[in-house]
């Protein structure tokens, strides 16, 4: 039986997938801090291994933001098990270099556990904050600073596999939104079997801002994989 595995993004957690209702068994991974040697991609590889540990049988991996980087690495590592991947407001696997000003803002957010600082950072990338902001702030405050800083390093520096065409050979669904931070067009050219979808009325977290619409898009993709 096919299972859906959800992978969260930066300073998020598994609870943010709670409102996604799918016709298949689903589970969400809570990423943990990893002890890894220095080197670009080492942290993402450690997170990848945590996701691989829960895969048992045919799987569709759904990754959001940084989780999209991890989902791609999972598909490369387990092509016999992963039937397809869905990437929401995806950060490119090659990484997302920040300007010094941006880096300072993100690092402040990673270090702080002040609710208003967390709300300000999340609100900046939200379109539909009703019901979403509180959940996102709660996830932020639950992320230890050490983990947040490690995640920040992971998604900004990326992985060497992102510097070349993707090695993923299963269908890829890229899901965009009204997000101003990411773009489907930036990610799509690396994949050979790709389709796209867009969630209206959502910013960087379409699965939190518009869960019903997201569930419909994912259900269609999963049904297509089964044909």
């Amino acid at each position: 039986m096919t299972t859906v595995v959800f992978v969260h993004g930066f300073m998020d957690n598994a609870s943010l997938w709670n409102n996604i209702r799918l016709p298949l068994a689903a589970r969400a991974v809570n990423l943990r801090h990893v002890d890894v040697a220095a080197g670009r991609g080492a942290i993402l590889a450690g997170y990848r291994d945590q996701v691989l540990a829960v895969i048992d049988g045919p799987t569709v991996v759904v990754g959001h933001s940084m989780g999209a980087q991890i989902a791609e690495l999972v598909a490369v590592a387990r092509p016999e098990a992963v039937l397809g991947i869905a990437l929401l407001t995806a950060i490119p696997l090659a990484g997302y270099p920040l300007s010094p000003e941006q880096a300072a803002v993100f690092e402040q957010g990673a270090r702080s556990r002040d609710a208003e600082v967390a709300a300000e950072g999340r609100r900046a990338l939200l379109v539909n904050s009703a019901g979403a902001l509180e959940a996102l702030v709660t996830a932020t405050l639950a992320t230890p600073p050490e983990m947040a800083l490690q995640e920040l390093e992971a998604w900004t520096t990326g992985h060497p596999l992102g510097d070349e065409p993707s090695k993923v050979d299963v269908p890829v669904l890229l899901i965009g939104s009204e997000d101003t931070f990411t773009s489907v067009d930036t990610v799509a050219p690396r994949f050979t079997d790709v389709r796209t979808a867009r969630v209206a009325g959502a910013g960087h977290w379409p699965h939190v801002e518009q869960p019903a619409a997201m569930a419909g898009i994912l259900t269609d993709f999963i049904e297509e994989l089964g044909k």
Side-chain angles (χ1 to χ4, degrees):
M1 179 180 179
T2 301
T3 299
V4 178
V5 173
F6 294 115
V7 188
H8 66 75
F10 173 55
M11 291 202 295
D12 293 341
N13 59 37
S15 70
L16 296 180
W17 300 102
N18 285 351
N19 291 330
I20 302 293
R21 307 295 183 218
L22 299 177
L24 296 175
R27 65 180 302 173
V29 177
N30 268 317
L31 298 173
R32 306 179 308 279
H33 189 274
V34 292
D35 294 320
V36 294
R40 179 178 173 227
I43 300 171
L44 286 175
Y47 296 159
R48 172 205 63 199
D49 292 346
Q50 293 175 24
V51 178
L52 288 172
V54 307
I55 291 179
D56 181 18
T59 303
V60 176
V61 184
V62 181
H64 165 250
S65 194
M66 177 188 72
Q69 298 172 309
I70 300 165
E72 181 175 346
L73 293 175
V74 169
V76 171
R78 291 288 300 278
E80 77 286 355
V82 176
L83 305 179
I85 57 175
L87 312 180
L88 289 62
T89 53
I91 297 294
L93 184 57
Y96 195 122
L98 300 174
S99 69
E101 295 77 15
Q102 287 176 314
V105 170
F106 276 102
E107 183 171 338
Q108 178 191 20
R111 293 184 182 280
S112 173
R113 285 304 167 269
D114 180 270
E116 185 48 45
V117 171
E120 182 179 359
R122 298 307 199 178
R123 195 182 291 116
L125 294 178
L126 280 170
V127 169
N128 177 27
S129 61
L133 184 59
E134 181 179 357
L136 290 166
V137 169
T138 298
T140 300
L141 299 180
T143 306
E146 181 185 35
M147 179 68 180
L149 290 168
Q150 183 179 79
E151 291 177 346
L152 179 60
E153 179 183 352
W155 66 262
T156 55
T157 58
H159 191 283
L161 286 182
D163 298 336
E164 56 192 67
S166 179
K167 298 183 182 300
V168 171
D169 60 1
V170 295
V172 177
L173 172 63
L174 297 177
I175 304 172
S177 65
E178 298 171 33
D179 184 27
T180 58
F181 195 68
T182 63
S183 170
V184 166
D185 294 338
T186 301
V187 181
R190 296 186 56 251
F191 298 101
T192 55
D193 186 357
V194 63
R195 62 287 328 263
T196 63
R198 185 175 185 274
V199 180
H204 191 63
W205 296 271
H207 56 308
V208 184
E209 299 173 69
Q210 300 291 349
M214 268 301 316
I217 290 171
L218 291 174
T219 297
D220 290 344
F221 179 58
I222 292 165
E223 290 179 349
E224 179 185 347
L225 293 176
K227 293 180 180 177

